[in-house]
Amino acid sequence: MKASAVLLQNLEPAQRQAAIAALPRELAQAFDTALPLQAQPLRQRQTGQTLAILEQLGCDEETLAAAVRFDTWQAAGSERGTPWPAELSATQRRLLDGQLAAERVWTLHAERSPGSGVEGLRRLLLAIIGDLRVVFILLARQLARLRAAGSLPEAERRALAALCVDIHAPLANRLGIGQLKWELEDLAFSFLQPATYRRIARLLDEGRAEREAFIKRCLSELGRALDKAGIRADLAGRPKHVYSIWRKMQRKGLEFSELFDIRAVRVLVDDIPACYAALGVVHGVWMHVPKEFDDYIARPKGNGYRSLHTAVAGPLGKTLEVQIRTHEMHQANELGVASHWRYKEGGGGDAAFEAKIAWMRKLLEARGDGEGDDAALLAGFRTELLEDRVYLLTPRGDVFDLPAGASVLDFAYHVHTDVGHRCRGAKVNGRIVPLGFQPQTGDRIEILTAKQAEPRRDWLSAQSGYLNTHRAREKVRAWFRRTDLATNLAAGQAILDRELRRVGMLQAGVEDLHTRFNLKSHEDLLVALALGETSAGQVARVLHESLAPTPASAAPASAGPTQPPLPTDAFCIEGVGNLLSSLAGCCQPLPGDPVRGYITRGRGISVHRADCKALSRLTQREPDRVIEVSWGARNARSYLVDVLVRGYDRKDLLKDVGSAIANAGAHVAASATRSLPKSAEVDMRFSLRVRDFGQLSDLLVRLDALPGVLEARRLADGF
């Protein structure tokens, strides 16, 4: 930096202006707008300390400028929604938006229910800040506030300390910023448990000079022994802090005098053989304390942490902890490869979240290596670590994380199985939404429940969009498995009949269809349909495949006069070739439908569905004109099919139906709508172009799932 940020707070006005002029442009502009802070000495000092800490971390000018601007914005009493100055860069806006989003997390922390977990809040914070440099600002500002918290009322002081313990200190630990972590923890501990803090601090102070002399003596003795053994090593004492000492006393049930690592040294060597050689030297110089040795090199911790830990009786018989590792291991541990924070905090985490933390720690280590490296890491953070989960809030402020794309009904089941079973609606940020609505990170969700648990079977349909997580679907299936067999059989039969009617296949035989799904009986198929383990669309598609005749021969067919040209291998026509062919308009067969041909007078072969009523009448009059045909190997065209959609005559129904058709990839060739005033219903008929039966089946499911739609089915007898 061209000028120290903290010094600006102690200069006379004229000197301050000269110093500001020497700063980089971005930072100078921020300081120029921050001059009103002079009227608030405490806030001014905290801003200066925040900047000094950020400088120690090696943060860039944009980060410092964003910290100053946000403090200025808060000092002016601005509220959420106040626009940022128009001249700010996109980066500055992102850094400011991240700090503003973090304020919401602080509010949620203050409003959280007693005893609720805070890991969700830490995840929420990292999900919404947008730029990881915001975390540096938040940590620096929190440390500056804690340093000045002694003058605050006790309630405010304790609230600030609790926020630090729950959010800031764990994040500093995960980032590997030891100098911030220790001070944050110690300051917060001194405010939350002042008597305990003073007792441990007094014990440390009483022996500090003696302990430092002891460590110096140990380093000297060990250094000489390692040199004599020809082992090149870097030695250093490892300081202990009040909070970490207290936590270890609590975790192991020890008194202060029983702690081995109050006096500790760390040995860094070049390779793994040197680690074990150094261990032999340590045990040769001092006597090993039984049961106080851990080999995390041969048996790394589950989080990948590697090091040798041993305790010995050092000079004068005083216990001493020695950690031995290679420089590479030490670097890996500090970068997060070993996820040191996990075993310290006793917590785990999913792979995506740990990857984000690892990238954040790597960016921290890259500070000072060059702007190009920082830019590359920032780009990687934004593009490679796209959030694959959403972090959602309950009305009480508890945070739950679900896979991206989860619905509010998924959220209800994630909160509690009974909440999901009784769910009848939801509000997102105070607005009522459908059960299939997909909330975004930071949304507050209120689940509206009924007294009785009554899940619906259509929740299990993947096309309906109600449930998008496997966990929630399994909970619904478990509910219906507990119902009696007769109920499941009836429900499965109703689902099957509805689908067959919808796609115009009511006459098809389904008694042996269960064999295509490797099920023992038709009843098993009905139960699978009732439980959502097999979809009705799958059954209809398999039924089409099983009923379609096997091609007997391949003869080219020409295009019919009333349809778009058919490919030469669109049909296999038994016993004839080079005939004109066309799809019958009365039944509009689709690829996969069982079909038969009728030899017309002068118009070639007219291809009908096998169950077409018009074909049945023609067969009775002229059976000799009916021939066997089947679909060819290739169907590279679209086919006309008529569809009926009936529903309540509500606003935007036609718009929603049109969107569903477009999203399914179908095209409207013709349409007609008829209102039924007496029943407040509307009939909509569409002539659609689709690729095949599968596309039609998916489209009908989408249409049937629209709000207000009573039925959506294929018309067997034309438009």
Side-chain angles (χ1 to χ4, degrees):
M1 296 293 175
K2 295 181 180 179
S4 173
V6 70
L7 290 178
L8 293 175
Q9 312 305 319
N10 302 319
L11 297 177
E12 296 297 327
Q15 295 174 318
R16 182 185 294 112
Q17 291 293 355
I20 289 175
L23 289 171
R25 180 179 61 84
E26 192 74 53
L27 190 55
Q29 290 177 351
F31 266 107
D32 191 50
T33 61
L35 290 180
L37 289 174
Q38 297 174 48
Q40 304 180 51
L42 178 60
R43 185 181 292 273
Q44 182 181 1
R45 289 196 300 273
Q46 290 179 7
T47 300
Q49 288 197 16
T50 300
L51 296 175
I53 295 167
L54 291 173
E55 281 187 322
Q56 293 172 10
L57 294 177
C59 294
D60 55 25
E61 287 83 0
E62 284 189 324
T63 305
L64 271 67
V68 174
R69 284 198 169 100
F70 192 80
D71 281 351
T72 306
W73 180 83
Q74 282 191 321
S78 303
E79 298 179 354
R80 184 179 293 273
T82 303
W84 306 121
E87 66 273 11
L88 292 184
S89 65
T91 299
Q92 281 290 294
R93 291 177 182 275
R94 186 169 63 249
L95 293 172
L96 291 171
D97 287 340
Q99 295 176 76
L100 185 58
E103 293 294 317
R104 183 181 179 189
V105 177
W106 312 155
T107 301
L108 291 170
H109 181 270
E111 296 175 349
R112 77 192 193 288
S113 55
S116 61
V118 293
E119 177 64 19
L121 289 177
R122 292 196 287 264
R123 290 171 175 268
L124 175 62
L125 175 65
L126 292 178
I128 66 178
I129 56 175
D131 191 312
L132 62 90
R133 289 173 292 181
V134 174
V135 176
F136 304 146
I137 299 175
L138 301 178
L139 294 176
R141 181 177 292 125
Q142 182 72 3
L143 180 54
R145 288 175 176 173
L146 278 174
R147 287 173 177 174
S151 60
L152 296 176
E154 182 180 358
E156 293 184 29
R157 188 166 62 240
R158 292 181 64 85
L160 192 66
L163 178 64
C164 176
V165 169
D166 289 340
I167 306 293
H168 294 85
L171 288 180
N173 190 26
R174 296 177 186 196
L175 283 166
I177 315 176
Q179 56 181 321
L180 265 64
K181 172 186 179 293
W182 298 123
E183 189 173 358
L184 285 169
E185 288 181 339
D186 279 3
L187 285 171
F189 185 48
S190 69
F191 295 140
L192 292 173
Q193 299 192 47
T196 305
Y197 177 88
R198 286 194 296 268
R199 181 173 64 86
I200 297 176
R202 186 173 61 253
L203 291 171
L204 282 172
D205 288 339
E206 287 174 353
R208 184 178 300 276
E210 178 187 352
R211 189 165 55 254
E212 290 176 352
F214 176 80
I215 293 295
K216 185 176 181 180
R217 177 178 174 180
C218 291
L219 293 176
S220 178
E221 289 186 17
L222 183 56
R224 288 194 300 269
L226 291 171
D227 287 341
K228 186 176 179 180
I231 300 172
R232 186 173 58 183
D234 293 329
L235 307 179
R238 190 168 64 87
K240 296 297 291 184
H241 297 265
V242 174
Y243 181 73
S244 64
I245 291 174
W246 174 80
R247 284 203 60 185
K248 191 159 192 175
M249 292 169 62
Q250 296 297 308
R251 188 170 62 249
K252 294 192 173 184
L254 302 174
E255 292 298 325
F256 182 85
S257 59
E258 299 176 287
L259 295 178
F260 290 124
D261 56 354
I262 294 297
R263 297 171 291 270
V265 298
R266 180 173 291 152
V267 180
L268 300 182
V269 295
D270 294 332
D271 51 36
I272 292 179
C275 289
Y276 290 99
L279 177 66
V281 171
V282 170
H283 287 173
V285 174
W286 301 303
M287 183 179 296
H288 170 240
V289 177
K291 300 183 180 180
E292 291 295 331
F293 171 71
D294 293 296
D295 186 349
Y296 296 125
I297 295 179
R299 296 180 299 277
K301 287 180 176 286
N303 54 30
Y305 176 84
R306 303 177 73 197
S307 182
L308 297 176
H309 291 191
T310 187
V312 297
L316 306 177
K318 295 181 179 179
T319 56
L320 173 73
E321 182 191 60
V322 182
Q323 294 182 357
I324 307 171
R325 64 186 67 155
T326 67
H327 294 279
E328 183 181 357
M329 290 176 191
H330 184 63
Q331 180 76 356
N333 293 342
E334 289 304 307
L335 277 175
V337 174
S339 302
H340 186 65
W341 57 271
R342 286 178 57 187
Y343 82 86
K344 281 289 189 182
E345 295 173 26
D350 57 77
F353 185 68
E354 292 182 22
K356 176 177 281 191
I357 294 297
W359 270 79
M360 294 174 76
R361 296 184 69 176
K362 287 180 181 179
L363 182 63
L364 179 67
E365 289 294 325
R367 292 287 167 193
D369 292 344
E371 295 181 1
D373 293 337
D374 285 358
L377 283 167
L378 278 170
F381 176 81
R382 288 194 290 266
T383 58
E384 293 188 32
L385 294 175
L386 295 176
E387 193 59 58
D388 61 352
R389 300 186 73 80
V390 290
Y391 299 88
L392 309 174
L393 307 171
T394 67
R396 298 189 305 175
D398 297 328
V399 181
F400 291 92
D401 63 295
L402 283 83
S407 67
V408 292
L409 186 56
D410 286 307
F411 176 82
Y413 274 103
H414 193 83
V415 172
H416 196 278
T417 302
D418 188 57
V419 173
H421 288 340
R422 296 189 295 114
C423 178
R424 291 299 174 268
K427 290 183 179 180
V428 174
N429 300 327
R431 180 173 60 90
I432 293 180
V433 298
L435 292 181
F437 180 82
Q438 297 180 4
Q440 302 300 312
T441 289
D443 285 344
R444 189 185 293 265
I445 303 176
E446 178 184 355
I447 300 298
L448 309 177
T449 58
K451 292 182 179 180
Q452 299 297 325
E454 296 179 358
R456 288 164 33 190
R457 292 186 186 271
D458 60 339
W459 290 357
L460 294 169
S461 170
Q463 290 87 350
S464 68
Y466 288 121
L467 293 174
N468 297 319
T469 63
H470 176 74
R471 175 183 177 185
R473 288 199 193 99
E474 281 304 309
K475 290 183 176 182
V476 177
R477 289 191 182 108
W479 165 271
F480 286 112
R481 285 192 188 100
R482 290 194 296 268
T483 63
D484 61 273
L485 178 61
T487 302
N488 279 328
L489 289 175
Q493 187 65 56
I495 293 172
L496 179 60
D497 291 345
R498 182 182 181 184
E499 180 68 14
L500 295 180
R501 180 173 182 269
R502 180 158 50 195
V503 297
M505 298 181 63
L506 280 172
Q507 306 303 319
V510 296
E511 291 75 13
D512 298 326
L513 195 59
H514 60 275
T515 59
R516 299 291 296 274
F517 292 91
N518 295 320
L519 297 174
K520 295 181 179 179
S521 66
H522 181 66
E523 287 73 16
D524 290 340
L525 176 61
L526 296 181
V527 172
L529 284 170
L531 298 179
E533 296 169 351
T534 300
S535 71
Q538 288 176 308
V539 171
R541 187 174 291 109
V542 169
L543 188 60
H544 261 77
E545 295 171 356
S546 65
L547 295 179
T550 302
S553 61
S558 303
T562 60
Q563 292 281 350
L566 292 172
T568 57
D569 57 354
F571 294 108
C572 296
I573 304 175
E574 183 179 8
V576 294
N578 296 322
L579 290 177
L580 295 175
S581 63
S582 62
L583 298 176
C586 55
C587 57
Q588 298 174 324
L590 292 176
D593 281 331
V595 289
R596 301 183 74 187
Y598 178 78
I599 303 175
T600 66
R601 291 182 172 86
R603 291 185 292 108
I605 303 295
S606 176
V607 180
H608 296 252
R609 288 171 54 187
D611 60 352
C612 175
K613 295 179 181 179
L615 178 64
S616 178
R617 292 192 295 269
L618 292 172
T619 302
Q620 291 177 1
R621 293 203 307 263
E622 301 175 291
D624 294 339
R625 289 182 173 271
V626 178
I627 63 173
E628 295 298 326
V629 300
S630 63
W631 297 99
R634 183 170 62 89
N635 300 294
R637 59 160 291 173
S638 61
Y639 299 87
L640 280 173
V641 62
D642 293 327
V643 170
L644 168 68
V645 180
R646 185 170 61 87
Y648 293 115
D649 194 2
R650 65 169 176 83
K651 181 182 178 182
D652 293 333
L653 177 60
L654 181 59
K655 174 184 174 183
D656 293 344
V657 170
S659 296
I661 293 173
N663 292 336
H667 301 278
V668 179
S671 65
T673 302
R674 181 167 62 103
S675 295
L676 307 173
K678 291 185 178 180
S679 59
E681 296 176 2
V682 60
D683 278 355
M684 292 175 284
R685 300 192 176 207
F686 298 92
S687 183
L688 304 176
R689 290 199 174 277
V690 297
R691 292 188 305 273
D692 52 26
F693 170 78
Q695 186 183 26
L696 173 64
S697 180
D698 291 341
L699 171 59
L700 292 175
V701 171
R702 293 186 186 211
L703 292 173
D704 196 54
L706 292 175
V709 170
L710 299 175
E711 68 170 334
R713 60 181 175 86
R714 181 181 182 181
L715 289 171
D717 298 326
F719 191 76

